[in-house]
Amino acid sequence: MASTTPADTPPAPPVPGPGSRSTGRLGDKVFLGLSKGSGILLLVIMASIAVFLSYRSVIALSDNEGNFLTTFEWNTAGDPPVFGIAVLLFGTVVSSIVAMVIAVPIAVGIALFISHYAPRRVAAPLAYVVDLLAAVPSIIYGIWGALVLVPYLEGLNSWLDEFFGWTYVFEKTEIGIPRSLFTVGILLAIMILPIVTSVSREVFLQVPRMNEEAALALGATRWEVIRLSVLPFGRSGIISASMLGLGRALGETMAVATVLSPNFLVSLHLLNPGGGTFAQNIAAKFGEANEFGRDALIASGLVLFVLTLLVNGAARLIIARRKEYSGANA
Amino acid sequence: MSHATTGLKDHRPAPAPAARPSLSSRSLPRLAPLGFAAVSIALGVGVSLAAGWHSRTQWGLLSALIFLAVSYAVTTAVENQRQARDRLATSVVWVCFLVAVVPLVSLLWTTVSRGVERLDGYFLSHSMAGVLGWEASGGVYHALIGTLEQVGIATVLSAPIGLLTAVYLVEYGRGALARAVTFFVDVMTGIPSIVAGLFILSIMLIAGLEPSGLMGALALSILMIPVVVRSTEEMLKLVPNELREAALALGVPKWRVILKVVLPTAIGGITTGVMLAIARIAGETAPIILVVFGNQLINTNPFAGEQSSLPFYIYEQYKIGEVAAYDRAWAAALVLIAFVMILNLVARGIARWKAPKTSR
């Protein structure tokens, strides 16, 4: 928006001296070239990520004896090599869904707290505290999750098993510490809270004051104001915030690699230890992989890349559409 | 919508015929929630003790539930249901916030309390050369060097690229190319760090390159560039157009306007953005596993040979699974978190101190 006005002014300023004009033009050309070049470089990087990953994936996939999509095995050192992403796709999606189910309502609550409930004076520092959660490196979440959260969740797990075991999902059929997809989901929920919160908060703060004041003038309570004007206005913002969070959760590596005790089984018993995710599998299998094994891991990484690309792209498109919408309103 | 209107209709006749002294309906005193809280905590603890529960979390949860029920019931009785719902929503929102604070506090507390056990001059100045996993010696020096070098190179690479891209988007960018760059910068911020590592790995496999700190730095800059672009872009947009126009009207060429007017005005915000980006990539582990490989020894040359880094070191020590190794992992985690937090605080300090004076 701010950049429209300079564009309307003529690009070459009316300078009388021919000498100064030529240097000005040369400098402009160089500078424009440099900055445009960096922009293009970014596009080239994105394109080459896709190309290079695909190239190595093709090498791996051409020798794969199993079906890449449906095989429940990851044996790249075998002869013939057999590997498939079924378990990884399942684990990635399930742990991310658990994370979303936990994180999105809480994040919306925090965003409302900061934008509408907290006393003005403390709202900004509180927002900062939530942002600090985002600054903590994922490996520290990882060891905290593995050494503090996992032992702590044993109580919750046995409680869920006892009272909600009939749901099948919460039935614990294997004994063991809860290094399960469910625990991973909880940890991921904590990790994506900040991004979901900050995007939702931004949207909630954009709600036209008129809408809120109109509701207040009709005698609405604070909750009614939120339900009548804030939440409807912020709905698409919440959706895109959740999708950004989902993108983070899908690609998270270290927190999953430290917490999960992986196996190659698909099970909807979420409390049982086991399962795996794309990123976790890459980090865990990379050390012992030969060159072919690395290509196979790259192939699984390509799937993850496409997955996050789709989710993030969709989220950004929703936000972009919303921007125009709110611009028309303002 | 419909509910609220009917609620209002129900409510409106009530105060009208009421006696003169009170125009408003009955309401609870302002400090009523505190009273509810005291009652429900007392009840919750009492019941928990009676039931013989040990977990403090259960005590807290029970008290919270009792609090919600009590405040809802009392408010419905004294005021009305709409007020009760409002109170319920307020409590739930507060609980959401408290729930988020608990893990942060626990994480910081664990890291600090476990970290200080091993953190000392020896830990910071020694590598893991010749140290077995269970031995309570060794240190983080080699990893510190690795992190500083990799992050340094990544910053040198990504800051100019990110800055120039942002300048292009704000000062020049129009049309399809600019829109594509904007979109892909957004998408790029969402690339998982492990995919950035795999990308460099695939280049290494094709070109036959050996793992080194430089490779790690390349992977890190893929993660860093979009963050720098995004924050710089925001800052450049805040520079008032009057400044640009005044300079252009004096006949200054556009590139000099950008260099001498726009960038200096926004420099505080740009610095903040770069520092926050550094803080983000300093904690990345996954690419380091794939393209730097880690090292027990000190390798000060980022261009050849395997290196360690702080986050990688934490992961490595965690995987050893010995008590002494856990201690080292926590101490390294404390070093890393202190590094990241200090960067964050300083960056935000700069942002506040050097905030551009906008016309808005």
Side-chain angles (χ1 to χ4, degrees), chain B residues 19-35:
Chain B
R20 283 218 64 87
S22 155
L23 278 175
S24 58
S25 52
R26 281 189 301 161
S27 66
L28 287 164
R30 276 196 56 198
L31 290 180
L34 280 183

Side-chain angles (χ1 to χ4, degrees), chain B residues 118 120-132 135-142 313 317 324 328 331:
Chain B
R118 272 293 269 116
D120 49 23
Y122 181 88
F123 186 74
L124 289 175
S125 59
H126 287 74
S127 75
M128 289 296 290
V131 179
L132 298 176
E135 282 177 325
S137 61
V140 81
Y141 181 66
H142 59 307
Y313 177 88
Q317 296 301 322
R328 278 192 294 269

Side-chain angles (χ1 to χ4, degrees), chain B residues 307-327:
Chain B
Q307 264 191 325
S308 190
S309 85
L310 270 178
F312 181 87
Y313 177 88
I314 298 171
Y315 182 54
E316 190 182 49
Q317 296 301 322
Y318 165 76
K319 276 201 305 186
I320 293 176
E322 302 274 353
V323 177
Y326 284 157
D327 287 346

Side-chain angles (χ1 to χ4, degrees), chain A residues 1-299:
Chain A
M1 310 306 107
S3 57
T4 44
T5 327
D8 301 338
T9 59
V15 184
S20 65
R21 180 193 291 169
S22 69
T23 50
R25 272 191 186 158
L26 182 65
D28 265 344
K29 254 182 206 158
V30 171
F31 206 75
L32 175 61
L34 275 178
S35 57
K36 200 172 187 173
S38 328
I40 294 172
L41 180 67
L42 277 190
L43 297 183
V44 171
I45 292 177
M46 279 302 284
S48 49
I49 291 178
V51 170
F52 279 67
L53 292 186
S54 311
Y55 173 67
R56 298 305 297 191
S57 309
V58 168
I59 297 179
L61 292 182
S62 59
D63 285 342
N64 183 11
E65 285 297 310
N67 184 322
F68 184 58
L69 291 178
T70 56
T71 309
F72 283 31
E73 203 183 334
W74 195 274
N75 183 9
T76 50
D79 187 29
V82 176
F83 61 91
I85 56 164
V87 176
L88 306 179
L89 187 62
F90 175 81
T92 306
V93 170
V94 164
S95 58
S96 305
I97 289 177
V98 172
M100 301 292 294
V101 168
I102 299 172
V104 170
I106 295 181
V108 170
I110 302 170
L112 282 176
F113 178 78
I114 292 169
S115 67
H116 286 82
Y117 281 91
R120 272 289 142 76
R121 196 175 300 194
V122 293
L126 290 183
Y128 177 61
V129 168
V130 175
D131 286 342
L132 271 190
L133 267 171
V136 176
S138 62
I139 180 65
I140 297 182
Y141 275 110
I143 58 169
W144 176 78
L147 301 177
V148 179
L149 187 66
V150 164
Y152 193 78
L153 282 180
E154 273 185 89
L156 176 70
N157 272 15
S158 55
W159 183 81
L160 278 175
D161 180 34
E162 191 176 339
F163 292 102
F164 293 93
W166 51 270
T167 55
Y168 188 85
V169 172
F170 291 127
E171 189 183 357
K172 194 167 186 205
T173 54
E174 279 173 45
I175 299 163
I177 40 175
R179 291 175 171 273
S180 59
L181 286 177
F182 184 69
T183 307
V184 167
I186 292 178
L187 187 57
L188 289 177
I190 297 171
M191 298 179 68
I192 63 174
L193 266 183
I195 178 141
V196 184
T197 302
S198 64
V199 177
S200 319
R201 189 184 70 214
E202 289 304 312
V203 179
F204 291 158
L205 287 174
Q206 280 172 17
V207 175
R209 277 214 72 76
M210 289 297 187
N211 289 13
E212 290 180 42
E213 283 168 8
L216 281 173
L218 288 171
T221 60
R222 188 150 52 171
W223 167 239
E224 283 160 355
V225 169
I226 285 169
R227 227 190 35 164
L228 292 175
S229 66
V230 178
L231 289 183
F233 182 89
R235 189 179 301 134
S236 62
I238 297 173
I239 293 173
S240 58
S242 323
M243 293 181 77
L244 288 181
L246 179 63
R248 290 279 164 87
L250 290 172
E252 178 49 46
T253 314
M254 299 323 296
V256 188
T258 45
V259 166
L260 199 68
S261 84
N263 65 16
F264 256 75
L265 296 172
V266 166
S267 162
L268 261 181
H269 292 303
L270 294 187
L271 300 184
N272 285 347
T277 73
F278 284 115
Q280 171 271 329
N281 186 54
I282 295 169
K285 293 270 163 56
F286 180 78
E288 65 224 32
N290 52 16
E291 189 168 324
F292 179 78
R294 287 176 186 178
D295 285 340
L297 292 175
I298 288 176

